[in-house]
Amino acid sequence: GIDINHPDLFVVGGTNVLGPFRTDKYDDDNGHGTHVAGTVAALDNEEGVIGVAPGAELYAVKAFNSKGIGFVSDIVDGLNWIIDNNIQVVNMSFGELGDNASLRDAIQRAYDAGIVMVAAAGNDGDAFIYYPARYPQTIAVSATDRDDQLASFSSYSTDITQVGLINLLAAPGKDIKSTWKGGGYYVGSGTSMATPHVVGTAALVIQSGVSNVSEVMNILKGTAEDLGTMGIDPYFGYGLVDAEAATTIR
């Protein structure tokens, strides 16, 4: 969910798909969703932070409870709502180790519907990128620190062939200040915090007039700043997301 009363956020709408407890209330009772939302689209106002795409419309799809626990069935229902409501780009700051047929099918349906999906690589600091970031229909995001180095907690992939299939990008994910539940602010770290930087950039690309999902993904990959070993590498993939380049270079 998202803190719908936060003075630095404008939430257009949303849904709550939490199992048998579904309501029309999608307010955030954990904090994680609000933090992600602020990095994507905190308003350009006199409040604490500014998002990557402050003009983007925010929709809260609440599929995790107050402890940050969610079920694949709820995530699938959330993706179905996203498809039905013509959402253009989705932040998926969550992950699991195993492939799941229901989730895989929902990801494919969303891709076929023209939705850009961006997902966290994982926070185990090892050479395995989580699902749904592993799916070729999504953009996976690893986390960098302030020195443009891979954050110690960030997952990656040492299989260069798999990296080519995974669509890996890197983005800032260490000590990120953003909005928090209850109208506040919080400094957090994780690939969850890196992911919304790419989501916001995707929103800017879409705002610039590019609507085709594969074209948006290709622009994000093609304009990323190369880090680490030249070319696609296991840690930063195609490179560090570059909002300015992605919205000015064609």
Side-chain angles (χ1 to χ4, degrees):
I2 302 174
D3 180 356
I4 60 176
N5 296 313
H6 200 291
D8 211 3
L9 299 173
F10 178 62
V11 183
V12 177
T15 188
N16 185 329
V17 295
L18 281 172
F21 308 106
R22 298 181 188 187
T23 69
D24 58 355
K25 297 179 179 179
Y26 40 81
D27 204 11
D28 185 8
D29 52 8
N30 175 271
H32 186 271
T34 300
H35 197 279
V36 166
T39 300
V40 174
L43 299 172
D44 185 2
N45 56 15
E46 300 300 320
E47 301 295 334
V49 296
I50 302 175
V52 176
E57 295 181 337
L58 289 171
Y59 290 83
V61 181
K62 186 177 176 65
F64 291 79
N65 65 20
S66 61
K67 296 181 180 179
I69 298 172
F71 295 94
V72 170
S73 58
D74 293 334
I75 294 169
V76 168
D77 285 346
L79 284 168
N80 288 334
W81 185 91
I82 286 163
I83 294 167
D84 291 342
N85 286 272
N86 301 310
I87 306 301
Q88 293 171 288
V89 57
V90 181
N91 189 104
M92 298 189 290
S93 286
F94 57 82
E96 64 174 1
L97 287 170
D99 185 15
N100 180 283
S102 296
L103 179 59
R104 186 183 342 116
D105 290 346
I107 292 290
Q108 184 65 59
R109 289 195 303 274
Y111 181 85
D112 291 342
I115 299 169
V116 179
M117 293 169 286
V118 188
N123 298 326
D124 287 342
D126 59 16
F128 185 84
I129 290 175
Y130 276 44
Y131 296 95
R134 289 186 73 84
Y135 295 129
Q137 299 89 352
T138 69
I139 297 171
V141 187
S142 61
T144 59
D145 59 23
R146 65 181 61 216
D147 297 317
D148 287 345
Q149 299 298 308
L150 189 75
S152 60
F153 54 77
S154 181
S155 296
Y156 56 94
S157 175
T158 53
D159 185 337
I160 194 66
T161 303
Q162 193 61 241
V163 169
L165 295 174
I166 285 179
N167 299 316
L168 179 65
L169 290 174
K174 183 76 162 55
D175 298 330
I176 305 300
K177 182 178 181 179
S178 187
T179 48
W180 196 251
K181 66 176 183 175
Y185 296 87
Y186 178 77
V187 176
S189 298
T191 55
S192 283
M193 284 69 238
T195 301
H197 287 87
V198 178
V199 170
T201 304
L204 292 175
V205 172
I206 292 169
Q207 185 181 34
S208 74
V210 180
S211 58
N212 180 273
V213 59
S214 61
E215 188 175 354
V216 173
M217 292 173 70
N218 286 336
I219 288 171
L220 293 173
K221 294 186 293 183
T223 59
E225 178 187 348
D226 194 16
L227 296 179
T229 304
M230 185 175 294
I232 302 172
D233 70 77
Y235 306 107
F236 309 102
Y238 289 85
L240 182 70
V241 67
D242 187 330
E244 182 177 13
T247 52
T248 58
I249 299 175
R250 292 289 180 269

